[in-house]
């Protein structure tokens, strides 16, 4: 991956994704998480302060060692047991049906094969389990989409393979999730091409 991908990028993500302005979105997406939780693309643990009391434990899946190191302070400050349990959302090292709920924030853009990651999440969720998602992707407006297609090659180079044009709801439904709730909006304080967010809950029937 090189020095930039291994050492610089996780720090850039820690700052960019840690802005105070996104805290209300993190709070919203974590609402309703419960029991045994799997979080893919755990990063530097920016969701940890928002885990509700109903969360019993979290299995964190994250390839970047530096992300995990940057999470230390947040992990010390929480009473929720969080264990680094895997490195790749596309191949989860868990038994089928072992989680009550799952969490993914701004991660489906980066995982090389998002469809495989979602099918893995469906496998490890119990029937009736829910995936709480907050993801940026293909914008609702054609003009913004044109910019997303133009900028995607640069975005992928600079941000570790991050795609701008993934259709979040389409990916979820294609993987067999049922959308229980979704809000699609442009993030405040972010350019529209990278801030077209989908926040919601998808049910694994
Ligand atoms: C934009 S960051 C978001 C981090 C975190 N979810 C957040 O909200 O702050 C995307 C994360 O996905 C991780 N990632 C990349 N490839 C992955 C994979 N195959 N499986 C799981 N996570 C992956 C990256 O290391 C990075 O931490």
């Amino acid at each position: 991956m090189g020095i930039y991908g291994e050492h610089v990028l996780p720090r850039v993500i820690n700052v960019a994704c840690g802005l105070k302005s996104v805290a209300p979105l993190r709070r919203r997406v974590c609402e309703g998480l419960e029991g045994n939780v799997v979080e893919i693309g755990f990063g530097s643990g920016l969701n940890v302060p928002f885990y509700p009391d109903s969360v019993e434990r979290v299995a964190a899946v994250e390839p970047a060692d530096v992300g995990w190191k940057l999470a230390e302070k947040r992990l010390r400050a929480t009473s929720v047991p969080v264990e680094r349990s895997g490195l790749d959302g596309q191949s989860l090292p868990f038994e089928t049906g072992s989680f009550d709920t799952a969490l993914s924030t701004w991660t489906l853009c980066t995982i090389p094969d998002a469809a495989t990651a979602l099918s893995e999440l469906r496998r490890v969720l119990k029937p009736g389990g829910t995936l709480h998602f907050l993801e940026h992707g293909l914008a609702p407006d054609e003009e913004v989409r044109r910019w997303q297609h133009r900028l995607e090659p640069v975005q992928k180079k600079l941000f570790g393979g991050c795609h701008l044009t993934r259709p979040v709801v389409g990916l979820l439904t294609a993987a067999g999730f049922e959308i229980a709730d979704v809000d699609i909006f442009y993030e405040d304080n972010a350019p529209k091409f990278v801030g077209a967010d989908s926040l919601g809950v998808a049910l694994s029937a």
Side-chain angles (χ1 to χ4, degrees):
M1 232 201 315
I3 289 182
Y4 176 74
E6 266 179 53
H7 296 276
V8 180
L9 188 56
R11 291 181 166 86
V12 171
I13 291 172
N14 183 45
V15 173
C17 291
L19 295 175
K20 280 210 175 94
S21 57
V22 299
L25 300 179
R26 292 189 187 278
R27 184 164 291 111
R28 270 176 69 192
V29 73
C30 288
E31 264 168 31
L33 286 173
E34 61 179 11
N36 201 12
V37 178
V38 56
E39 178 171 358
I40 59 164
F42 179 78
S44 55
L46 290 164
N47 290 318
V48 171
F50 302 97
Y51 293 156
D53 292 344
S54 45
V55 170
E56 284 166 21
R57 71 186 69 81
V58 174
V61 177
E62 171 56 52
D65 293 338
V66 170
W68 192 249
K69 263 201 95 50
L70 293 170
E72 275 171 9
K73 214 167 81 183
R74 292 175 197 105
L75 292 172
R76 276 198 303 272
T78 183
S79 58
V80 177
V82 179
E83 191 177 342
R84 189 179 186 186
S85 310
L87 301 175
D88 185 0
Q90 299 160 123
S91 173
L92 297 175
F94 309 122
E95 301 271 310
T96 296
S98 45
F99 292 94
D100 300 292
T101 51
L103 176 63
S104 174
T105 62
W106 294 302
T107 291
L108 292 178
C109 53
T110 304
I111 292 185
D113 185 344
T116 298
L118 287 170
S119 116
E120 273 293 86
L121 282 177
R122 279 205 72 208
R123 181 183 67 75
V124 302
L125 276 170
K126 291 177 182 164
T130 51
L131 165 62
H132 294 231
F133 59 92
L134 167 57
E135 299 289 346
H136 75 87
L138 193 63
D141 301 296
E142 193 46 48
E143 177 62 19
V144 182
R145 287 181 183 203
R146 273 199 287 276
W147 277 106
Q148 290 183 313
H149 285 290
R150 277 180 210 133
L151 294 172
E152 187 163 67
V154 181
Q155 176 81 7
K156 281 164 76 175
K157 276 219 160 68
L158 289 179
F159 294 99
C162 171
H163 295 70
L164 295 172
T165 60
R166 287 193 167 158
V168 177
V169 168
L171 280 168
L172 288 163
T173 51
F177 280 100
E178 198 178 294
I179 304 296
D181 181 37
V182 67
D183 185 12
I184 297 173
F185 56 92
Y186 293 110
E187 247 176 75
D188 294 337
N189 310 318
K192 284 186 172 176
F193 72 86
V194 77
D197 281 355
S198 301
L199 187 162
V201 175
L203 182 71
S204 180

